[in-house]
Amino acid sequence: MRIVALVGQKGGVGKTTTTMNLAAVMAKHSRVLVVDVDPQQSTTWWAENAGESLPFTFAADVDPSNLARLRELDFDTIFVDTPGSLEDTRVLSAVLDVADFVVLPLNPEPLNTPAMVRTIRQHIEPRGIPFRVLLSKIDRRRAGQLEDWERLVDDGLKLPRFKQYIRLYAAHADAPLTGRVVTQYPDTRQNSNAIFDYTHVAMELMAIWANHTPTPKEAKA
Ligand SMILES: Nc1ncnc2c1ncn2[C@@H]1O[C@H](COP(=O)(O)OP(=O)(O)OP(=O)(O)O)[C@@H](O)[C@H]1O
Ligand SMILES: [Mg+2]
């Protein structure tokens, strides 16, 4: 079993969207649980709008102090959505203490970058947890945006990132209200691109895990 934390102390970068959609893609072939430890409960609201149709198991309002017990559960992957707050690091610390892997969404907005780098340096690297930056809300109509941000992460920040990026689509912004996850979007060309993005991130995750020696936390599972 692997516990994946979606982290970003800056609000609105796409943690909840990534949690729900990566979970949906992975649930096609494995047992997936999504856990919401965010007091804002965005994932919970989304799940309520979805009703019975979510393709994975969902646990609302989980107390961060109970996270260690997740290991006892029978799932292949557990995604933990975390709050976007710079002040309260208690929840973040509790999640990172159990996480095997961290995904950090990053938007092409320069002011988001320092917060992400700080989170990595102060909380993730000291714990030795493998992580990847995920470029999200990339607008392909803006020439050069993707390339500039890939260069910034690779050569400027020198941080590991998913080769796949998440494009900016209105369907993602509407999804929490309709309760849909990406695998349930209506069949249009743009939506097939949206599915492609998350599917390829999931494939990269599996490839990383296939080539990686289990950490002590994972070996316990
Ligand atoms: N790829 C995308 N394309 C378009 N809209 C997106 C995309 N990803 C996220 N959004 C929208 O951006 C907003 C913020 O996304 P989300 O709620 O996933 O971020 P978050 O990091 O969980 O925020 P918070 O820190 O408040 O929990 C939402 O309205 C969401 O629908
Ligand atoms: Mg959120």
Side-chain angles (χ1 to χ4, degrees):
M1 174 215 280
R2 284 189 171 92
I3 300 179
V4 181
L6 271 291
V7 169
Q9 287 175 279
K10 184 86 180 58
V13 290
K15 297 177 289 293
T16 299
T17 306
T18 307
T19 301
M20 297 299 265
N21 289 328
L22 267 186
V25 168
M26 305 255 298
K28 285 185 162 189
H29 305 289
S30 59
R31 295 160 305 169
V32 175
L33 171 69
V34 168
V35 174
D36 188 7
V37 293
D38 187 348
Q40 245 185 199
Q41 299 208 13
S42 323
T43 22
T44 302
W45 184 65
W46 189 328
E48 280 166 5
N49 291 337
E52 295 295 302
S53 69
L54 275 186
F56 46 78
T57 309
F58 183 79
D61 200 14
V62 170
D63 185 331
S65 58
N66 287 333
L67 285 171
R69 297 182 53 200
L70 291 176
R71 292 258 171 236
E72 297 160 19
L73 303 177
D74 200 14
F75 288 96
D76 300 306
T77 312
I78 299 181
F79 289 95
V80 185
D81 187 20
T82 66
S85 150
L86 286 166
E87 292 82 31
D88 187 359
T89 56
R90 279 169 309 170
V91 174
L92 178 65
S93 296
V95 171
L96 292 178
D97 285 344
V98 300
D100 301 305
F101 197 92
V102 179
V103 177
L104 298 118
L106 177 65
N107 302 156
E109 291 168 25
L111 288 176
N112 284 352
T113 313
M116 185 195 71
V117 172
R118 228 174 10 250
T119 304
I120 292 171
R121 303 283 184 241
Q122 291 181 358
H123 299 283
I124 299 173
E125 283 178 342
R127 289 179 167 86
I129 313 170
F131 66 93
R132 293 285 185 283
V133 173
L134 176 61
L135 287 174
S136 299
K137 300 199 205 176
I138 296 292
D139 188 349
R140 291 308 276 141
R141 290 167 306 182
R142 293 189 53 183
Q145 183 188 65
L146 171 66
E147 295 72 17
D148 286 350
W149 279 82
E150 286 180 334
R151 214 172 310 118
L152 174 78
V153 176
D154 297 348
D155 305 335
L157 305 174
K158 296 194 170 35
L159 292 171
R161 67 170 168 89
F162 288 102
K163 301 289 168 255
Q164 183 61 47
Y165 53 89
I166 305 298
R167 284 168 278 193
L168 179 81
Y169 287 129
H172 289 316
D174 297 339
L177 184 63
T178 58
R180 283 201 186 104
V181 286
V182 73
T183 49
Q184 301 164 331
Y185 287 3
D187 191 10
T188 65
R189 206 183 76 179
Q190 198 172 75
N191 288 347
S192 71
N193 288 343
I195 296 175
F196 176 100
D197 293 351
Y198 284 105
T199 304
H200 280 75
V201 173
M203 284 164 58
E204 275 188 58
L205 254 185
M206 303 266 227
I208 293 164
W209 290 340
N211 294 319
H212 150 90
T213 323
T215 61
K217 271 191 250 167
E218 290 160 359
K220 263 195 277 164

